């Protein structure tokens, strides 16, 4: 076990006395930071954008530096207020009402942010999708949410199975298209005609705001439903964990299809009124260091998978760039390897602060903050206002150093409020008043939490959460595949890779061509990150007597581990 202790960094950090804050803080203390505390008028988009645009001191401050390989733009808070007002007017024109689900299947771009904020301004619920999704992934999410409108590009439209989506009434197209039916709305044309003034739809703190679909170990992806109230925790973590100061330039590398890209790529920085950097396009070490350099990024939130790639790209590339503005780095999504933390100390002369949370939790819960000693390899300690513990399967707390379920006392501000249309699924997360995360961990004597792994079969590949069921279901749609069992296999760079075991239907013979064809079938039908890197043909797939695939057993076989209890194995 790595127990390297990295002392707190000196400085005037926003949260200097963690222990004291833990004892004295109540979530109500945070409410004074919001205008609705006095006006009673609530909307996340108002707090994140309009409030700063109405203030003469921040009206012309840069809210968004956008860059991609072929486009660069910088927008002020006032610009974003106006463009999101325009989009809200477009939505109103087409009779979008409060509570409707409006999905975005759109690359990161200024249009994305105008549309996203416009959706919130009319009181509708935004559903951002990864640009990499293929037909099946798009279908599952739009069908389940009964989305009434989609904002996409003419290129991505090809992956939208419209015939299967009866609720989808309108599609806004960003970019030139030949579509003529009145189902389609031309973004550029409508925006040009729309007013930059808009009467905000005031909502309740408990009204829906965003739905993120995420994978569990069974069933289709589930719609995790978040409400405007989450802003209380986004603001608190912007202050304590992101440690933002008003003149910071902040870059969160996450795509808004992932909760990190909304909670920390949109809400937290803008609630705090800081300049936000967004990069489109693919990862490359040179371009990433270049972005830090070009915008003089001061606070950076990224993921272990990207950091590991930067480590392997070597120490010469960063030397070409001036990274001296950087003062604070954070990571999320997977275990942060102590080796990467050590590298960070050398490459940037900075600590990398691990943070732990989930789509369902809406915001950071267990964190390392600047004024705290880091125990390399640990996720840190619970945020003030958060009670975290390790519990057994009945929800009883376990003593320090004992491994169990990582659990959080129910009721923090950004907690999901439901799983869309699946109340029983939502209830299943809670045991004895605890939200049970599905992660196994232990807590040491000093209150630091240490991640050990997943307790279910969810796969974490390069920080992307993939449900084995989703991949198995797609695999058996291929005409050659009879049965499939999918597991995560440890991998030094990606954390885990996806390995699929399949059996073939009669008349099919194993060949490299066939396996490659099946891989492509997943890649083009579901999404690239869900495509198995390894595919193995077996005579049979182990199942329980009730017909459940025994993924644990497949994994034990694969890793050469003891197989444990196999008494439920089918004859
Ligand atoms: C994993 C949303 C180790 C964990 C942010 C969790 C982590 C799942 C960490 C959530 C971390 C997230 N250390 N593992 N700091 N952060 N995870 O919903 O298994 O896509 O349950 O992430 O990612 O994945 P999600």
């Amino acid at each position: 076990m790595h127990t390297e202790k990295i002392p707190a960094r000196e400085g005037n950090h926003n949260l200097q006395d963690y222990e004291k804050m833990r004892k004295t803080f109540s979530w109500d203390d945070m409410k004074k930071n919001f205008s609705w505390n006095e006006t009673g008028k609530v909307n996340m988009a108002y707090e994140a954008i309009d409030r700063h645009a109405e203030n003469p001191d921040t009206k012309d401050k840069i809210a968004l530096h956008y860059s991609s390989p072929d486009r660069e733009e910088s927008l002020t808070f006032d610009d974003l207020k106006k463009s999101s007002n325009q989009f809200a007017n477009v939505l109103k024109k087409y009779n979008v009402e409060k509570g409707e689900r409006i999905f975005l299947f759109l690359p990161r771009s200024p249009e994305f942010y105008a549309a996203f904020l416009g959706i919130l301004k009319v009181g509708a619920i935004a559903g951002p999708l990864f640009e990499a999704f293929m037909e099946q992934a798009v279908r599952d999410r739009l069908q389940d949410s009964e989305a009434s409108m989609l904002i996409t590009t003419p290129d991505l439209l090809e992956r939208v199975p419209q015939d299967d989506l009866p609720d989808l009434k309108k599609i806004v197209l960003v970019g030139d298209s030949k579509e003529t039916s009145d189902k389609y709305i031309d973004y550029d044309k409508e925006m040009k005609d729309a007013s930059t003034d808009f009467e905000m739809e005031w909502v309740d703190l408990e009204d829906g705001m965003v739905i993120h679909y995420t994978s569990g170990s069974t069933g289709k992806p589930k719609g995790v439903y978040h409400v405007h109230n989450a802003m209380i925790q986004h603001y608190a973590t912007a202050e304590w964990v992101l440690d933002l100061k008003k003149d910071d330039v902040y870059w969160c590398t996450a795509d808004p299809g992932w909760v990190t890209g909304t909670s920390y790529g949109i809400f937290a920085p803008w609630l705090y009124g800081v300049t936000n950097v967004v990069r489109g396009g693919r990862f490359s070490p040179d371009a990433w260091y270049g972005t830090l350099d070009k915008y003089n990024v001061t606070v950076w939130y990224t993921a272990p998978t990207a950091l590991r790639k930067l480590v392997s790209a070597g120490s010469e590339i960063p030397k070409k760039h001036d990274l001296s503005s950087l003062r604070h780095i954070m990571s999320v999504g997977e275990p942060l390897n102590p080796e990467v933390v050590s590298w960070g100390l050398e490459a940037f002369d900075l600590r990398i602060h691990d943070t732990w949370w989930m789509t369902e939790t809406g915001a950071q819960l267990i964190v390392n903050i600047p004024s705290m000693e880091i125990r390399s390899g640990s996720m840190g300690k619970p945020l003030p206002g958060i009670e975290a513990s390790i519990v057994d399967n009945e929800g009883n707390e376990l003593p320090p150093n004992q491994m169990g379920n990582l659990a959080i006392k129910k009721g923090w501000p950004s907690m999901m409020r439901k799983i869309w249309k699946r109340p029983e699924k939502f209830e299943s997360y809670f045991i004895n008043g605890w939200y049970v995360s599905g992660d196994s961990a232990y807590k040491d004597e000093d209150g630091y939490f240490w991640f050990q792994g997943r307790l279910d079969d969810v796969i974490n590949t390069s920080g992307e959460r993939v449900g084995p069921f989703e991949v198995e279901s797609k695999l058996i749609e291929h005409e050659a595949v009879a049965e499939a069992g999918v597991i995560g296999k440890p991998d030094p760079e990606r954390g885990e890779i996806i390995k699929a075991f399949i059996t073939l239907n009669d008349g099919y013979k194993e060949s490299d061509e066939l396996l490659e064809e099946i891989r492509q079938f997943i890649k083009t039908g579901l999404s690239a990150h869900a495509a198995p890197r390894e595919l193995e043909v077996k005579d049979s797939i182990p199942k329980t007597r009730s017909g459940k695939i025994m993924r644990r057993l497949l994994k034990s076989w694969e890793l050469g581990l003891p197989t444990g209890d196999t008494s439920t194995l089918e004859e």
Side-chain angles (χ1 to χ4, degrees), residues 214 258-260 332-335 354-360 379 439 451 454 460 465:
T214 192
W258 188 34
V259 70
T260 308
V332 65
E334 302 160 75
D354 195 11
T355 64
W356 176 90
W357 56 293
M358 305 174 68
T359 305
E360 292 88 335
M379 305 186 285
D439 284 357
F451 179 84
R454 280 296 296 180
N460 191 335
R465 190 166 151 184

Side-chain angles (χ1 to χ4, degrees), residues 93-330:
K93 176 175 166 188
Y94 290 97
N95 304 314
V96 169
E97 290 183 14
K98 192 174 159 188
E100 277 184 51
R101 278 78 57 214
I102 312 290
F103 272 60
L104 301 118
F105 185 34
L106 201 61
R108 270 176 270 192
S109 57
E111 292 77 15
F112 177 94
Y113 294 90
F116 184 93
L117 294 162
I119 294 168
L120 303 196
K121 285 186 170 183
V122 302
I125 300 170
L129 299 177
F130 282 110
E131 194 190 336
F133 280 157
M134 304 308 270
E135 190 173 293
Q136 181 74 43
V138 174
R139 179 191 291 116
D140 285 345
R141 287 155 180 84
L142 295 184
Q143 265 178 354
D144 184 71
S145 63
E146 295 164 335
S148 55
M149 195 189 265
L150 177 71
I151 300 120
T152 188
T153 64
D155 285 348
L156 292 174
L157 186 64
E158 286 169 20
R159 303 189 208 150
V160 182
Q162 295 188 52
D163 292 346
D164 305 337
L165 301 168
D167 300 300
L168 188 63
K169 295 189 196 70
K170 294 279 180 198
I171 297 181
V172 180
L173 289 174
V174 181
D176 294 334
S177 110
K178 291 191 244 1
E179 306 290 350
T180 50
S181 130
D182 63 6
K183 183 170 184 182
Y184 301 102
I185 299 171
D186 182 325
Y187 179 92
D188 289 327
K189 187 169 158 293
E190 296 282 343
M191 288 290 274
K192 216 162 58 234
D193 296 341
S195 164
T196 55
D197 292 325
F198 180 74
E199 194 65 44
M200 183 83 63
E201 178 82 35
W202 301 112
V203 298
D204 190 273
L205 280 169
E206 291 298 313
D207 279 337
M209 177 174 74
V210 192
I211 292 186
H212 280 286
Y213 276 81
T214 192
S215 301
S217 47
T218 55
K220 295 261 189 195
K222 50 199 176 209
V224 176
Y225 176 93
H226 288 292
V227 299
H228 288 257
N229 190 63
M231 71 174 88
I232 296 174
Q233 197 165 340
H234 295 149
Y235 191 97
T237 49
E239 182 160 312
W240 298 334
V241 187
L242 277 45
D243 193 43
L244 294 175
K245 313 277 193 279
K246 294 300 167 193
D247 54 1
D248 269 320
V249 177
Y250 167 84
W251 181 27
C252 169
T253 59
D255 187 284
W258 188 34
V259 70
T260 308
T262 55
S263 293
Y264 293 99
I266 298 178
F267 304 136
W270 283 338
L271 285 170
Y272 222 74
V274 305
T275 299
N276 197 11
V277 173
V278 171
R279 230 199 96 75
R282 289 179 150 271
F283 172 86
S284 94
D286 209 25
W288 275 37
Y289 286 120
T291 299
L292 291 170
D293 181 353
K294 178 180 166 71
Y295 295 111
N296 297 313
V297 170
T298 55
V299 178
W300 190 33
Y301 198 8
T302 188
T305 183
L307 292 167
R308 287 194 297 263
K309 284 186 197 155
L310 293 181
V311 176
S312 39
S315 53
E316 285 311 306
I317 310 175
K319 286 188 191 139
K320 291 194 288 177
H321 300 279
D322 178 3
L323 306 174
S324 59
S325 311
L326 206 54
R327 71 170 172 83
H328 183 40
I329 310 177
M330 289 153 293

